[in-house]
Amino acid sequence: MKQHENKENNTWNAAQASLEPFTGNFALDLERVRKEIGHNSDVHFREFQIGGTGICAAIIFVDGLSDKELIDKHIMKSLMMSFSENHHQEPSIVQGAVSKEYIKNQVLTIGEVTEARHAKELASKILTGSTALLMDGVQNALILGRTKGKSRNMEEPSSEPLVRGPRLGFTESLRDNTALLRQQGGNSNLSILKFQVGERSKKELVIAYMKDLADPALVEEVRERIKKINIDDVPESGYVEQLIEDNYLSPFPQVQNTERPDRVYSALMEGRVAILLDGTPFALIVPVSLSMMLHSPEDYYDRWIPSFLIRLLRYFAAIISLFGPSLYISFVSFHQGLIPTKLALSIMGTREGVPFPAIIEALIMEVSIEILREGGLRLPRPIGPAMGIVGGLVIGEAAVQAGIISPIMVIVVALTAISSFAVPQYSAGISFRMLRFVAMFFAAVYGLYGVVLFFLFLCSHLVRLKSFGVPFITPVVPYRVSDWKDLMIRMPLVKMRRFRKAIQKKDSMRKG
Amino acid sequence: MLLLVAFMKQPDKAAKVVLVGVFIPLLFYVITVVMVIGALSIDGVVMSTWPTLELMRSFEIPGLIFERFESWLLVIWIMQIFTTFTITYYAAALGMAQLFKKRIRPFVYGLVPIIYLIAMVPKDINDLFKFGDMVGNAALLLFAVLPVILLLVSSVRGGKA
Amino acid sequence: MKHVTVRNLLISLLVLTLLSLTGCWSSKEIEDLGLVVGTSLDLDTQEESREESAGQAGGPPRRDRITITNQFVTAETTGKGTKNASSQPKAYNNVSETGDAILPTLRNMILRIEKRAFDEHSKVIIIGGDLARTLDLQKILDFFIREQEMRPSCLLLIAQNRASQTLDSKKPMEVPAFKLVEMTHGHGRTTKILPPATLTKIEGKLHSGTSFLLQNVVSSANGDIKFEGAAVIEGKTRKLRGFLNEKELEGLTWITGEGKGGLVKSVDKKTGEPIIYEVLSMKSKIKPRVDGNNISFKIEIESEGRIAEHWVVSEKTIETDFLKRAEKAAEEEVERLVEHVLDKIQHEYKTDVAGFGNRLRIAYPHVWKAVKKDWDQTFSEVPIRYEVNLTIKDYGTADE
């Protein structure tokens, strides 16, 4: 009968009970917590008595998620073993009770101690990896330590490998990542602000910037946008990126993502703001410009002459990856007069018997290259390269042999494909690849004129595009010739100690 | 040029900017004229309808991927036309909008058919050339004579200085 | 938000209509083209066709009929022969058609070839001697100058015999039009080839009524072609006046100073053995002089070169005396060439093909205005002096 009543009580009071403050009654409180999370089999309730006093206590933790060492050495040991040795003289203990302050201040050898006032709060903390301590006679539960979490070792970032430069990459652990950032340079101006994102599952998010370099308006803008994020769950920083970007219709990414702490740090030193999310190695950098997409940290690590040339080469590759096939199409189907006679003849010769017009031919090849790329990505590691070779051989060689595709088209397509991977930012490479198809259609309809038209469209879009209030193609438009030293070319470091002004307003000399 | 000055951030620098802006195309045009006459001779220039294009067409640089350049010239030309067109078009729409104190959008779209119709007025290429000359002269009238008259009017009326 | 969508819709609609308006208007796949790489123009020789057109009662007055031969290079002829290597086809495809105006005749070729004729790669136009003699060049070339597809960089040659023969070759892989163009590059190494005459250059000359030279090409019966001298086009009539042979052309090149390299074969006075002088640089100045009504010219020719070969075994090139003698001999040889050609163009052809008039125009514009009208006639009576100054700079790797 009583049980029944209790149950009834439970149902109508379920929500409220979890929000009710703890009473200090150990059994009751524990029962509440149990109700809140009791059905989770991985949550352990360890009840014990505080060393020699007979006061009931319990620690609650998630198996595997919380720090076992902390529990064993710092909680259990100090509360059970050491307590009976050192603290039995303590007046409050003698009185048969235990003081929260005393435990907190003198017993527990743990850095992080917070309190939770009701079961719901406590439950969420426990489930994210903290350890909770409930004691008889103490009203609030103590939350000790934090998630140990599972994290991997720091490895070289696999999406942005460099020949020269630090081999350290971000990991999935936010704390490690912020530590990496701090480690980059002893700069007391590095500010790290904490946010929580996600409606249902909370996730920690951090924005980092240089207090003295970043434009306060920019930081404010980033904060605003992050606060506006309203989504159930944020599994990866890509979500954040999409939710805070300026124009979701644009083919260009307006936020840069990177796994490299050095890249983030140098962006911070330019007055940009970095956004790091717990659980992903990809940090976001805002604002970005088109030129940043084509820069690599290596540009600055190597001497200026090779970097200069490599950067030019990269711009060239970007242009090829954007316009390669479309130029070929317009030459072959519209402006045969523009190419040298001998070349025209050899193209004619190789295209003899090819049943498709150039545009269809190019589409077939481009699409199959994209399929190869996508397929290759999904293939299990061991057979990946083999299938790639087979695919390339089959598509390229056999198609030419069968007379469906002309060999020159294979060259053009292969060159464009390789070029698009010369863009250091993978996401920027993708946008170039997408736009390539558009350019091809324009070329097929209008020839070179169409390519120009497309280029003009693209330019007008780029000019309008902004990333966090900063024009996307700074410093080309609005033009700032002094910044062109680090745009398509890279001048010697001695010559460019200045920052990009669009980002940074306070202090324009690089210190050092 | 004159229109843009009104919208500049630092109008005091306008004179310099305008001079530079006029000087660069001037330089290019002079170079073009010298090159064209030098390459085609005066008799050749007189004979052809589009001497500059003719010059570009007669170029041939063997050994490059592109031997000829006239389409590239046209490419650059299209871009140039596009930029000048957008600026003047916007200026026209803006001017109308300010004149009638309306929003600019209807004017931006409304000008499209008007410009199309005007473009259809010249019947053949000779008409077109005549039309072009007329527009040039009209520009002279509008931008050289009219401002002077307006200046006189304002000084006679004794405006706010 | 709604506003933006509407605008985006409008924009995409505009783009779509734009696409459908003019879509694919001039798209033509490269393999469907027949590249015209050379064109030859001849006077029609077939009498019966001439009578046929004359016989049409009430038709237009009889005109000279022109036979046009286009040299096509198509995907089939360039096909690398991978598919049927056994039967090697010719590298080109000549199509001829006869008519009394250029374009209608060219269009009639559609009836004979399935490919679309494409003129932008046209390299050379060869005009038969007969045709050039009977028809005004301006009339013949009008289409080629007017046509947009036609390149102004196209070369112009005159064929002494049938022009169509120069576009024939016995060798299977050879395209005669390309061969002709490449042969004109020899201009840099011999004085016997004129600098390439493109349509652009000819256009101005035709318009201003100056006389000029065109490279002459001769085809022999066995299908070989050879550059041989130059054709003289008279400025006033714009017709072929005559030919200069190789020697005369050499002399003319010395007068204009347009040569870049070449040889002078002189004879050593003492031994009678040949000494070959190779031109390294060539410069000439034509100086007009006007005294009252008398116009005269002085040509100063300067050249630096080396001894490339000599058969005078007894002498050593290391000795300055011998070098002086060799210089002298070469100078005399050049003077002989110049004198010979001056005599020919002044007195036989009476045409100023070496640009004397132009020099006069620059130096004495007023005089030029007066004599411009009948310049070729005036030119034939003008006294011309010349001075040749050659310098031998070195003698190669043997000092014998």
Side-chain angles (χ1 to χ4, degrees):
Chain A
M1 185 67 199
K2 193 164 187 197
Q3 221 173 5
H4 176 70
E5 211 181 310
N6 203 3
K7 229 178 198 170
E8 217 171 43
N9 197 30
N10 212 6
T11 39
W12 66 258
N13 225 1
Q16 240 164 346
S18 62
L19 280 170
E20 241 168 58
F22 285 125
T23 54
N25 181 336
F26 176 70
L28 187 63
D29 289 345
L30 191 64
E31 190 53 35
R32 276 195 190 158
V33 178
R34 237 191 250 279
K35 282 259 166 59
E36 187 66 27
I37 45 173
H39 58 279
N40 285 320
S41 60
D42 58 341
V43 178
H44 286 218
F45 292 78
R46 169 79 165 84
E47 288 173 51
F48 61 97
Q49 291 183 337
I50 294 177
T53 59
I55 301 169
C56 286
I59 54 172
I60 312 160
F61 59 91
V62 176
D63 195 15
L65 194 58
S66 38
D67 194 344
K68 268 275 167 58
E69 195 186 313
L70 180 114
I71 293 169
D72 292 346
K73 283 205 181 132
H74 299 281
I75 305 177
M76 303 291 273
K77 199 176 168 200
S78 35
L79 281 177
M80 296 170 82
M81 218 161 101
S82 324
F83 201 87
S84 51
E85 288 167 16
N86 306 332
H87 306 292
H88 50 95
Q89 307 295 10
E90 171 63 27
S92 60
I93 307 295
V94 175
Q95 284 162 20
V98 62
S99 139
K100 183 169 68 189
E101 279 69 33
Y102 176 68
I103 295 285
K104 215 159 127 181
N105 297 342
Q106 293 189 34
V107 179
L108 293 174
T109 50
I110 298 168
E112 276 175 83
V113 180
T114 48
E115 289 176 37
R117 271 173 295 119
H118 47 76
K120 185 155 180 122
E121 192 185 347
L122 189 69
S124 76
K125 293 278 177 169
I126 290 169
L127 290 176
T128 52
S130 301
T131 307
L133 173 64
L134 271 177
M135 286 169 294
D136 197 16
V138 176
Q139 193 172 14
N140 287 354
L142 294 180
I143 295 165
L144 313 167
R146 49 166 63 168
T147 325
K148 171 78 169 174
K150 297 289 172 224
S151 71
R152 62 184 166 94
N153 288 335
M154 287 170 197
E155 283 161 8
E156 186 178 3
S158 56
S159 71
E160 299 160 87
L162 289 186
V163 177
R164 177 169 183 177
R167 301 262 181 248
L168 221 49
F170 284 135
T171 66
E172 281 76 7
S173 154
L174 180 63
R175 234 165 309 284
D176 288 351
N177 293 349
T178 50
L180 271 178
L181 270 190
R182 289 258 181 228
Q183 216 177 306
Q184 286 282 321
N187 192 330
S188 55
N189 282 314
L190 174 61
S191 308
I192 292 183
L193 300 184
K194 204 168 108 181
F195 292 88
Q196 275 209 329
V197 289
E199 292 296 306
R200 283 180 183 274
S201 59
K202 303 261 184 238
K203 221 160 203 182
E204 223 170 288
L205 179 145
V206 147
I207 70 173
Y209 58 93
M210 290 294 164
K211 218 165 28 192
D212 56 338
L213 296 176
D215 184 0
L218 172 66
V219 178
E220 195 47 43
E221 176 74 35
V222 175
R223 287 169 83 147
E224 283 303 310
R225 291 200 193 180
I226 285 172
K227 274 184 198 149
K228 273 192 199 136
I229 292 179
N230 181 7
I231 192 165
D232 278 356
D233 180 28
V234 188
E236 214 272 342
S237 56
Y239 274 66
V240 180
E241 177 180 341
Q242 292 169 61
L243 290 169
I244 63 173
E245 67 188 354
D246 293 64
N247 182 354
Y248 62 88
L249 289 174
S250 169
F252 291 98
Q254 296 132 57
V255 176
Q256 189 181 30
N257 63 70
T258 179
E259 285 189 79
R260 304 195 67 89
D262 55 327
R263 195 170 203 160
V264 172
Y265 194 76
S266 67
L268 295 183
M269 289 303 284
E270 283 169 358
R272 297 180 206 274
V273 176
I275 301 165
L276 288 82
L277 184 75
D278 195 22
T280 174
F282 287 95
L284 306 177
I285 298 171
V286 290
V288 294
S289 61
L290 185 64
S291 56
M292 264 176 83
M293 302 283 176
L294 292 162
H295 294 180
S296 155
E298 223 171 359
D299 291 355
Y300 304 99
Y301 301 156
D302 266 326
R303 296 194 61 243
W304 76 277
I305 301 174
S307 320
F308 181 111
L309 295 173
I310 286 174
R311 191 176 276 184
L312 276 184
L313 190 74
R314 217 179 281 139
Y315 273 87
F316 182 63
I319 290 170
I320 289 185
S321 78
L322 195 52
F323 292 117
S326 49
L327 284 181
Y328 176 74
I329 291 170
S330 50
F331 283 136
V332 166
S333 324
F334 288 87
H335 309 280
Q336 297 90 349
L338 273 185
I339 40 183
T341 311
K342 295 263 164 73
L343 184 60
L345 289 183
S346 67
I347 293 178
M348 261 168 77
T350 54
R351 277 192 53 78
E352 193 216 335
V354 174
F356 305 113
I359 169 74
I360 303 294
E361 204 188 348
L363 272 182
I364 292 175
M365 282 314 282
E366 286 290 348
V367 168
S368 49
I369 279 268
E370 292 297 312
I371 292 172
L372 266 180
R373 188 194 59 80
E374 182 65 18
L377 216 61
R378 311 269 168 257
L379 282 173
R381 277 273 160 77
I383 59 166
M387 282 307 287
I389 292 166
V390 170
L393 278 181
V394 168
I395 303 284
E397 188 65 27
V400 170
Q401 282 291 320
I404 305 174
I405 306 291
S406 67
I408 294 197
M409 180 54 88
V410 176
I411 297 174
V412 170
V413 167
L415 188 68
T416 3
I418 294 295
S419 297
S420 72
F421 293 111
V423 178
Q425 273 286 306
Y426 185 68
S427 50
I430 291 180
S431 56
F432 283 129
R433 287 214 305 272
M434 291 185 309
L435 290 170
R436 173 158 84 218
F437 285 93
V438 186
M440 272 157 58
F441 280 114
F442 270 90
V445 178
Y446 287 123
L448 207 52
Y449 172 67
V451 179
V452 177
L453 211 64
F454 169 72
F455 183 66
L456 285 176
F457 277 145
L458 202 61
C459 281
S460 4
H461 171 70
L462 280 174
V463 169
R464 253 183 47 159
L465 193 60
K466 278 186 175 158
S467 167
F468 284 80
V470 177
F472 193 59
I473 49 174
T474 358
V476 186
V477 175
Y479 79 97
R480 200 169 291 111
V481 183
S482 58
D483 284 348
W484 287 11
K485 287 188 289 198
D486 189 24
L487 178 67
M488 278 173 80
I489 57 175
R490 206 279 265 168
M491 295 298 272
L493 275 186
V494 191
K495 298 264 178 198
M496 35 174 239
R497 297 172 60 196
R498 283 178 183 283
F499 288 108
R500 299 204 177 97
K501 284 186 218 141
I503 316 301
Q504 129 58 33
K505 280 164 185 160
K506 288 179 189 165
D507 177 12
S508 69
M509 282 299 277
R510 218 175 261 243
K511 285 172 186 149
Chain B
M1 285 290 180
L2 289 171
L3 270 170
L4 287 178
V5 176
F7 297 97
M8 277 180 180
K9 265 188 191 164
Q10 299 156 308
D12 44 322
K13 284 189 185 167
K16 190 183 140 202
V17 172
V18 167
L19 273 182
V20 171
V22 171
F23 181 72
I24 294 173
L26 194 73
L27 197 76
F28 273 108
Y29 281 137
V30 168
I31 291 174
T32 315
V33 167
V34 168
M35 273 175 64
V36 169
I37 290 189
L40 300 185
S41 79
I42 293 183
D43 297 304
V45 173
V46 171
M47 263 185 83
S48 48
T49 326
W50 317 102
T52 313
L53 208 56
E54 188 87 343
L55 173 73
M56 290 306 281
R57 282 160 55 82
S58 58
F59 263 117
E60 200 169 309
I61 300 182
L64 286 181
I65 304 180
F66 317 111
E67 233 179 10
R68 337 268 192 153
F69 295 91
E70 82 267 10
S71 280
W72 294 109
L73 181 84
L74 287 181
V75 163
I76 293 165
W77 193 68
I78 289 169
M79 290 195 210
Q80 187 197 336
I81 293 301
F82 179 80
T83 45
T84 31
F85 173 77
T86 21
I87 291 171
T88 45
Y89 188 81
Y90 182 72
L94 191 68
M96 303 268 270
Q98 288 183 346
L99 196 66
F100 297 111
K101 294 212 163 78
K102 293 269 163 60
R103 286 190 317 128
I104 188 168
R105 198 167 288 280
F107 290 101
V108 170
Y109 291 114
L111 276 177
V112 173
I114 297 174
I115 285 183
Y116 185 75
L117 287 178
I118 292 177
M120 287 293 134
V121 166
K123 285 204 178 56
D124 56 22
I125 197 145
N126 285 334
D127 256 11
L128 185 70
F129 286 142
K130 255 184 242 161
F131 190 72
D133 288 346
M134 204 187 77
V135 170
N137 294 336
L140 195 70
L141 200 73
L142 278 176
F143 295 116
V145 182
L146 199 65
V148 174
I149 296 173
L150 286 178
L151 204 66
L152 282 177
V153 168
S154 77
S155 66
V156 165
R157 285 185 55 185
K160 280 179 266 175
Chain C
M1 203 63 200
K2 205 185 160 200
H3 194 65
V4 174
T5 345
V6 170
R7 206 185 62 198
N8 285 333
L9 272 176
L10 257 176
I11 288 172
S12 42
L13 195 73
L14 268 176
V15 173
L16 278 179
T17 38
L18 215 68
L19 288 181
S20 59
L21 264 180
T22 45
C24 303
W25 37 265
S26 64
S27 165
K28 44 194 189 284
E29 293 299 322
I30 194 165
E31 70 271 18
D32 298 332
L33 299 179
L35 300 193
V36 179
V37 290
T39 308
S40 73
L41 304 157
D42 277 307
L43 202 62
D44 185 27
T45 46
Q46 287 170 313
E47 283 305 316
E48 73 247 52
S49 66
R50 193 177 269 219
E51 276 158 19
E52 198 180 291
S53 73
Q56 288 169 352
R62 204 187 72 182
R63 287 164 175 273
D64 297 308
R65 287 169 64 85
I66 304 169
T67 302
I68 305 177
T69 305
N70 263 356
Q71 182 147 72
F72 285 101
V73 180
T74 58
E76 280 77 29
T77 60
T78 53
K80 294 285 175 276
T82 42
K83 275 148 216 160
N84 44 354
S86 53
S87 65
Q88 204 164 36
K90 271 190 171 176
Y92 60 90
N93 181 10
N94 282 359
V95 179
S96 295
E97 189 61 57
T98 306
D100 58 1
I102 307 286
L103 187 58
T105 317
L106 284 174
R107 279 291 152 84
N108 278 343
M109 284 183 190
I110 296 176
L111 310 174
R112 289 175 192 264
I113 186 165
E114 81 281 15
K115 303 277 179 181
R116 187 194 180 286
F118 187 70
D119 266 336
E120 291 208 27
H121 284 288
S122 185
K123 296 286 178 198
V124 61
I125 297 172
I126 305 149
I127 300 175
D130 293 340
L131 184 67
R133 253 184 248 278
T134 45
L135 264 179
D136 189 336
L137 272 187
Q138 174 112 48
K139 291 178 189 166
I140 301 173
L141 292 177
D142 183 75
F143 163 75
F144 296 104
I145 292 170
R146 200 175 291 278
E147 170 61 40
Q148 283 175 13
E149 234 180 48
M150 204 69 202
R151 293 283 160 169
S153 57
C154 185
L155 292 180
L156 203 59
L157 301 175
I158 296 280
Q160 201 156 9
N161 25 19
R162 296 285 297 173
S164 56
Q165 277 174 27
T166 58
L167 287 181
D168 263 327
S169 170
K170 288 266 150 65
K171 293 172 195 152
M173 286 315 287
E174 190 177 77
V175 181
F178 292 157
K179 191 180 165 190
L180 282 171
V181 172
E182 253 140 61
M183 274 165 68
T184 57
H185 296 327
H187 161 64
R189 292 172 55 78
T190 172
T191 46
K192 293 176 189 174
I193 296 178
L194 279 172
T198 59
L199 275 182
T200 329
K201 289 187 191 164
I202 302 306
E203 193 184 342
K205 282 180 179 159
L206 283 175
H207 186 65
S208 64
T210 357
S211 306
F212 56 94
L213 291 179
L214 285 176
Q215 184 66 50
N216 178 34
V217 56
V218 174
S219 56
S220 60
N222 58 8
D224 278 343
I225 46 178
K226 190 193 172 199
F227 279 168
E228 203 173 276
V232 178
I233 309 291
E234 197 181 6
K236 214 190 291 170
T237 57
R238 293 185 286 250
K239 283 179 188 167
L240 178 67
R241 185 76 173 76
F243 292 95
L244 298 180
N245 64 25
E246 283 173 33
K247 283 268 177 226
E248 290 152 0
L249 181 55
E250 270 188 84
L252 200 95
T253 310
W254 280 103
I255 295 176
T256 55
E258 275 172 347
K260 291 201 184 99
L263 303 176
V264 177
K265 194 186 89 185
S266 55
V267 176
D268 183 39
K269 268 193 196 132
K270 271 190 195 164
T271 53
E273 294 285 351
I275 302 174
I276 314 298
Y277 169 84
E278 187 185 359
V279 178
L280 293 178
S281 74
M282 190 194 276
K283 231 195 291 182
S284 97
K285 261 187 200 161
I286 299 175
K287 288 186 174 166
R289 181 173 299 167
V290 180
D291 283 327
N293 269 340
N294 297 327
I295 303 168
S296 65
F297 288 97
K298 189 184 172 197
I299 311 169
E300 285 169 13
I301 297 169
E302 269 177 48
S303 165
E304 284 181 348
R306 61 195 192 104
I307 289 189
E309 182 183 355
H310 78 84
W311 288 18
V312 192
V313 194
S314 57
E315 298 280 357
K316 291 194 167 173
T317 44
I318 202 160
E319 277 164 29
T320 323
D321 271 359
F322 174 66
L323 288 187
K324 286 277 173 254
R325 218 166 76 211
E327 266 177 22
K328 195 91 195 111
E331 276 170 15
E332 274 165 18
E333 174 65 22
V334 172
E335 277 169 22
R336 225 167 45 74
L337 288 170
V338 169
E339 188 186 348
H340 183 61
V341 71
L342 276 180
D343 178 58
K344 187 138 186 172
I345 58 173
Q346 273 194 301
H347 303 122
E348 190 182 335
Y349 291 146
K350 295 184 180 168
T351 47
D352 167 25
V353 290
F356 288 98
N358 196 32
R359 302 307 307 175
L360 184 69
R361 182 181 65 85
I362 290 166
Y364 299 98
H366 296 291
V367 182
W368 171 247
K369 256 183 200 162
V371 296
K372 184 164 105 183
K373 204 154 175 240
D374 216 9
W375 171 244
D376 278 343
Q377 189 57 41
T378 322
F379 171 70
S380 65
E381 290 148 17
V382 161
I384 297 172
R385 288 187 299 128
Y386 42 84
E387 200 173 86
V388 182
N389 192 3
L390 303 185
T391 319
I392 293 175
K393 280 175 79 183
D394 77 290
Y395 35 79
T397 49
D399 57 9
E400 290 277 314

